[in-house]
Amino acid sequence: MEDNYEKISRRSFLKASAVLGSAAALTACGGSSASTSTAASTSTAASGSTAAASGDTIKIGTIYAMSGGNAAIGENILRGIDFAVDEINKAGGVNGQMLEVVRGDHAGDAATGKSEAERLITQEGVNVIMGCHMSVVTEVVAQVCQQYGIPMITAISTLDRLTDEDHKDYDYFFRLCPLNSVYVEDMLKYLQDSKEQTGNEIKKVAIFTDKAAIGQELIRCVNLFAPDYGLDVVAEVDYSSNATDLSSQVLALKQADPDAILCDSYIGDATLFVQTLKEQNYKPKMIVAKANGFTDPSFIPNLGASANGVASVVEFNPDLTNGVEINEDFKKVYNVNMNGHSAESYTVVWLFKTAIEKAGSTDGAAVRDALAELSIDGAFEGGRKIVLPYSKIEFAPEYEIGGAKHYRDNTYASVAIAQVQDQEWKTVWPFEFASSKIQEVTLG
């Protein structure tokens, strides 16, 4: 590995993998007609009747919230996994073997996630693991996977530190989704570009977020990149998860009088936040979320017209060109649209399929090596197009962003911005991929 590293700009980062060394080193589902789940912590979900009958399966362990306050997020993630597994099994499986999903429930707790990972590996005999949506749980599970030599891909966990210098040696761990740094810089770029359509120059921003790791990461990243975009952070307002009252927080935002609010919350808090904004009759020029609960399938149903005008980072939206066809098929099964979580988890199953076929084995080290060398361009062999807002997937062995080195991230990962318009998410940025123009925040 070379000792000198080029500092990569965000725009260049999106356009090239920025690989700086050799590849040698090396997130309860319901509604699927082909997979079931039972008790949260002990269930095994086999996808496809052939898999259940053969007894000769490749086991994908999943560790997501199937109970507790984030169960709706976990359910949606598991839909994407089941959908991919059913597709693959119906087409003949992987190297002649069917895929089987073995579920673990972390219930939003890192210690539970650790024990579930150990159970899936030592008792259930899983070959690979996906997880865990919550980055603090993902970090612990990655440690367990490293210990046992089990390849792991996180579809969704965005905390920058998961792949930083302290995790350099976690060579069984890979990340598909963008880092928080990538999400946040695109949010700021969107604010800058929005003047072209709205006529409003955004100069002052406030941050509203959870006190947990996701929120503190948003604060860190906004402060890191805001000077580059001429933005002044006028308030940082946080709260404890699963809040029952956000009145004081919204009042603090109102008093700070920002041009835009940047936010990150899980679904319950995201819903309560918008309800409280409406109760206090406070409508900032722009509200931009870093996905999470704001893009949960229950967000718009929870709020109805009150969600109108809220914008969010999205990893997927039904009006994105790459995903229209697959979303139509997905919706026929689950009666909801794909979102970023289900689209990314769907993609990870296909990544594991491709790596196992390339390795010719389910041996952990062989699959790890195959993942490290993987390059998907446009579409998966024998499968669909990449359904995310980019057309290539590779895991860079080493690169730099925001002044820090990172390892085994998909450096082609990027995001779009969608806005709730008439109670439906519409892509509004980047403008060349947008189906609609930016509208004002109405919350009703």
Side-chain angles (χ1 to χ4, degrees), residues 9 17 22 83 92 125 147 198 212 229 280 296 345 359 362 369 377 423:
S9 71
S17 65
S22 88
F83 191 68
Q147 176 186 350
T198 67
Y229 292 88
Q280 295 197 17
D296 186 89
S345 61
T362 56
D369 293 350
D377 194 352
Q423 301 181 51

Side-chain angles (χ1 to χ4, degrees), residues 58 94-95 97 353-363 366-367 370:
I58 296 171
V94 181
N95 293 337
Q97 294 178 283
K353 172 189 183 291
T354 306
I356 291 169
E357 288 178 339
K358 182 175 181 180
S361 167
T362 56
D363 173 74
V367 175

Side-chain angles (χ1 to χ4, degrees), residues 260-280:
I261 298 174
L262 305 173
C263 44
D264 195 0
S265 302
Y266 293 121
I267 180 60
D269 299 322
T271 301
L272 181 60
F273 174 55
V274 176
Q275 291 171 336
T276 308
L277 287 172
K278 187 168 184 179
E279 287 169 5
Q280 295 197 17

Side-chain angles (χ1 to χ4, degrees), residues 250 365 403 425:
V250 170
W425 287 109

Side-chain angles (χ1 to χ4, degrees), residues 84 87-88 346-354 380-383:
E87 275 190 340
I88 292 167
Y346 169 90
T347 302
V348 167
V349 176
W350 276 93
L351 287 170
F352 274 132
K353 172 189 183 291
T354 306
F380 289 93
E381 185 175 351

